Amino acid sequence: MKNKMFNKIKFDNLKKINSKINLISKHNIKIENIKDRKESLNILKNFLKKHKKNLTKLINLEAHKTINESENEFDYALEFVNYSISTISDYKFEKKSSKSRKILYKSSGSVFAITPYNDPLAGMMRKIAPSIAAGSTIIMKTSFNCIYLCKYIDKHLPTKLKKIIQFVFIKSRKLIDKIVQNKQIKLITFTGSTEVGLKLNDIKTKHLQKKILELGGINYAAIFDDKNLSNVIDEIITRKIKAAGQACSSINKLFVSNKIRKKFEKIVKEKVSMITCGSVRKKSEPDFGPVISNSHYNFLKKLQKKSLKKGYLICKSNSRNDAKNLFPLNLIKTSFNDEIFDNFETFGPLLGVSYFNENIKVLKKISKSDYSLVCYLFTKNQKIIDASKNLNLGSIGINTTKIQSPGSPTGGNNLSGIGREGGIWGFEEFLTTVNYVIKK
């Protein structure tokens, strides 16, 4: 059904795309002053609130999230707009550094933003809001998996916002290259896989651009002792089934101390047995819904099959079997160094579990990862907590997985990206400076 509807979508050709880029480029000047930026952000805020019901439903239908999770995403999206309004209310766009010198903070120019399907609305707002706050117009390209949400926003967006925000609907990936190569695009912001991020970074242009790349992560978590173990397991499961495991901050592999192995397995089996995946279109909602597509489901099945050849299933959640692409939460025992969970971002409800004896080996393994996005460490050991500050990661959660907020910087290092989103750090990614000196 989705494919039939997808075929009816009218996609943009290069001529249409260029006209959209020309349109927003002409209106950069319209949001150069702070008053216009605030007005635009407040219009965006009111637009979202007015259309909350329909936007939430579209998240539910296209991203396969439960209504509750869809509503939470809407609230999170709105927080990014509110944060941007608050930021420019207090931000000093002119900072005096000496009697004759000022540093001016200005827009970097028009932005090309690419967002994924897993948090469709929040993913858009975390790029659109700071872009407007910085004084930049924006071209937005989203995943075809949430194309009706984007079409809805594009159709109902207030006239004033259409001059500074334009959606492009692209079927051919070659057109993405053309947008990147357009000299009017000064900044690229992308959230998605490392593979695609590297390809974006390699597109040849005849002009220079700034890039903010929030890429994939083979994220580790480690439980070193039994401090609040039941609550810790709750947090790990909740983080793993968010968006059916399709989140860049999801846990790929969990290390558990051998000292608490029996206790861990007893608790986790009980908790996972109470979790159910199922259709998100029924009144009685499951804990999480299907993965995004049949191809992704098959990808997870292949990883599951390979991991079970050398490991074994610790436990598995329930499935109502009332929708396509339902993949229950699987916890699979694996080795400390393995071929699956150390090398493939599962991006789904498939979790590797490895037991360890030496704390230092776990920290060394985490520190050597090429995917330095986020890790979660659960312990009462102060030495481990102190040592974690030296890990080369974009985010570190100690005794919590709740690391994200609109006011906090997110993003990774190495193959997990460059630049930051969120907070004042994410806002300033959209700015450039002018060294302004007056001799009296």
Side-chain angles (χ1 to χ4, degrees):
M1 185 67 178
K2 175 86 175 180
N3 290 335
K4 290 180 180 179
M5 296 172 71
F6 180 70
N7 290 333
K8 294 179 181 179
I9 291 289
K10 187 175 181 181
F11 289 93
D12 295 331
N13 56 28
L14 183 58
K15 183 178 180 181
K16 182 69 173 177
I17 290 168
N18 285 335
S19 70
K20 290 181 177 182
I21 295 174
N22 290 335
L23 173 65
I24 65 160
S25 296
K26 288 177 183 177
H27 289 89
N28 263 319
I29 193 170
K30 299 296 183 182
I31 55 174
E32 277 191 352
N33 67 68
I34 307 305
K35 183 180 177 181
D36 278 351
R37 299 182 202 180
K38 282 186 180 178
E39 182 184 357
S40 296
L41 285 167
N42 276 303
I43 291 172
L44 178 61
K45 175 182 176 179
N46 292 330
F47 163 75
L48 291 174
K49 292 169 74 173
K50 179 181 177 180
H51 294 270
K52 178 178 180 178
K53 183 177 179 180
N54 289 336
L55 293 172
T56 300
K57 189 61 180 175
L58 284 164
I59 295 170
N60 165 246
L61 293 176
E62 289 198 286
H64 308 315
K65 294 186 176 184
T66 64
I67 290 294
N68 181 60
E69 191 172 1
S70 300
E71 289 173 345
N72 288 340
E73 184 187 330
F74 177 88
D75 293 341
Y76 192 42
L78 197 60
E79 284 182 43
F80 281 101
V81 182
N82 286 329
Y83 182 85
S84 290
I85 293 170
S86 174
T87 297
I88 60 172
S89 297
D90 302 323
Y91 195 81
K92 303 297 182 185
F93 287 89
E94 290 189 13
K95 297 180 183 179
K96 193 172 183 179
S97 64
S98 67
K99 288 184 179 180
S100 61
R101 188 187 308 274
K102 291 180 179 179
I103 306 300
L104 311 181
Y105 291 81
K106 300 178 68 176
S107 161
S108 293
S110 293
V111 174
F112 178 35
I114 306 175
T115 58
Y117 63 81
N118 54 316
D119 281 324
L121 187 62
M124 283 187 268
M125 291 306 118
R126 71 191 303 163
K127 297 183 186 297
I128 290 174
S131 177
I132 294 174
S136 299
T137 54
I138 188 165
I139 292 288
M140 175 63 63
K141 189 270 176 192
T142 59
S143 168
F144 70 84
N145 287 304
C146 56
I147 200 164
Y148 291 100
L149 172 68
C150 304
K151 281 285 186 182
Y152 181 90
I153 296 172
D154 186 46
K155 180 179 179 180
H156 295 93
L157 205 62
T159 302
K160 180 178 175 66
L161 295 184
K162 285 191 174 182
K163 294 177 181 179
I164 58 176
I165 306 168
Q166 283 286 311
F167 285 84
V168 289
F169 301 95
I170 300 171
K171 200 170 185 179
S172 170
R173 291 185 179 180
K174 291 181 180 180
L175 291 176
I176 293 177
D177 292 22
K178 295 293 184 181
I179 297 174
V180 173
Q181 291 165 343
N182 191 302
K183 290 184 179 181
Q184 295 179 92
I185 298 298
K186 305 299 183 183
L187 186 149
I188 309 295
T189 173
F190 167 78
T191 300
S193 71
T194 298
E195 180 185 5
V196 175
L198 289 172
K199 288 178 180 178
L200 271 175
N201 198 48
D202 285 343
I203 295 173
K204 292 182 179 180
T205 66
K206 293 183 179 180
H207 69 297
L208 298 176
Q209 296 165 319
K210 187 173 185 178
K211 291 185 176 69
I212 308 165
L213 305 176
E214 188 181 28
L215 308 180
I218 295 177
N219 303 320
Y220 296 120
I223 306 176
F224 293 89
D225 46 61
D226 63 355
K227 179 186 177 183
N228 301 322
L229 186 57
S230 181
N231 292 336
V232 168
I233 292 171
D234 282 335
E235 277 217 33
I236 287 170
I237 291 172
T238 299
R239 172 59 62 178
K240 188 58 184 172
I241 65 174
K242 181 185 182 292
Q246 299 160 118
C248 61
S249 57
S250 184
I251 302 164
N252 217 59
K253 186 173 180 178
L254 173 65
F255 295 101
V256 179
S257 172
N258 250 323
K259 295 177 182 178
I260 60 169
R261 179 172 183 166
K262 289 183 179 180
K263 190 174 181 180
F264 166 79
E265 289 198 359
K266 182 178 184 295
I267 296 172
V268 80
K269 286 176 181 178
E270 289 175 358
K271 291 183 179 294
V272 171
S273 70
M274 298 171 66
I275 293 172
T276 302
C277 63
S279 171
V280 296
R281 301 188 181 188
K282 296 183 178 180
K283 288 184 179 180
S284 177
E285 288 201 314
D287 295 291
F288 65 97
V291 295
I292 195 66
S293 65
N294 185 247
S295 62
H296 192 53
Y297 174 86
N298 290 334
F299 166 74
L300 289 168
K301 290 296 287 185
K302 286 180 181 178
L303 292 185
Q304 178 195 49
K305 185 178 180 180
K306 287 181 180 179
S307 61
L308 287 173
K309 285 183 177 179
K310 294 185 178 180
Y312 61 83
L313 183 68
I314 296 172
C315 56
K316 183 170 74 170
S317 69
N318 303 298
S319 174
R320 292 179 180 173
N321 297 315
D322 57 355
K324 292 181 179 180
N325 304 320
L326 288 174
F327 196 97
L329 174 61
N330 280 242
L331 272 67
I332 296 176
K333 164 65 176 67
T334 188
S335 59
F336 190 81
N337 297 301
D338 75 278
E339 298 175 358
I340 304 301
F341 299 100
D342 287 334
N343 294 292
F344 295 93
E345 183 181 13
T346 60
F347 214 65
L350 182 62
L351 178 63
V353 178
S354 176
Y355 298 100
F356 67 91
N357 294 311
E358 297 179 51
N359 296 343
I360 191 66
K361 284 188 176 181
V362 175
L363 293 176
K364 283 184 177 179
K365 183 175 178 65
I366 293 171
S367 68
K368 290 180 179 179
S369 175
D370 288 332
Y371 294 85
S372 306
L373 187 63
V374 58
C375 78
Y376 310 98
L377 307 178
F378 297 90
T379 184
K380 59 188 177 185
N381 187 322
Q382 191 59 45
K383 288 184 178 180
I384 294 172
I385 294 171
D386 292 341
S388 70
K389 294 177 183 178
N390 295 317
L391 296 174
N392 180 30
L393 292 144
S395 296
I396 301 170
I398 304 296
N399 296 322
T400 184
T401 63
K402 299 178 178 68
I403 58 166
Q404 295 174 313
S405 76
S408 303
T410 58
N413 304 324
N414 300 324
L415 289 176
S416 288
I418 53 174
R420 292 294 181 262
E421 288 191 328
I424 195 71
W425 307 270
F427 165 64
E428 289 182 338
E429 292 279 8
F430 291 86
L431 298 174
T432 188
T433 57
V434 179
N435 178 26
Y436 190 74
V437 184
I438 300 177
K439 183 177 180 181
K440 294 183 179 180

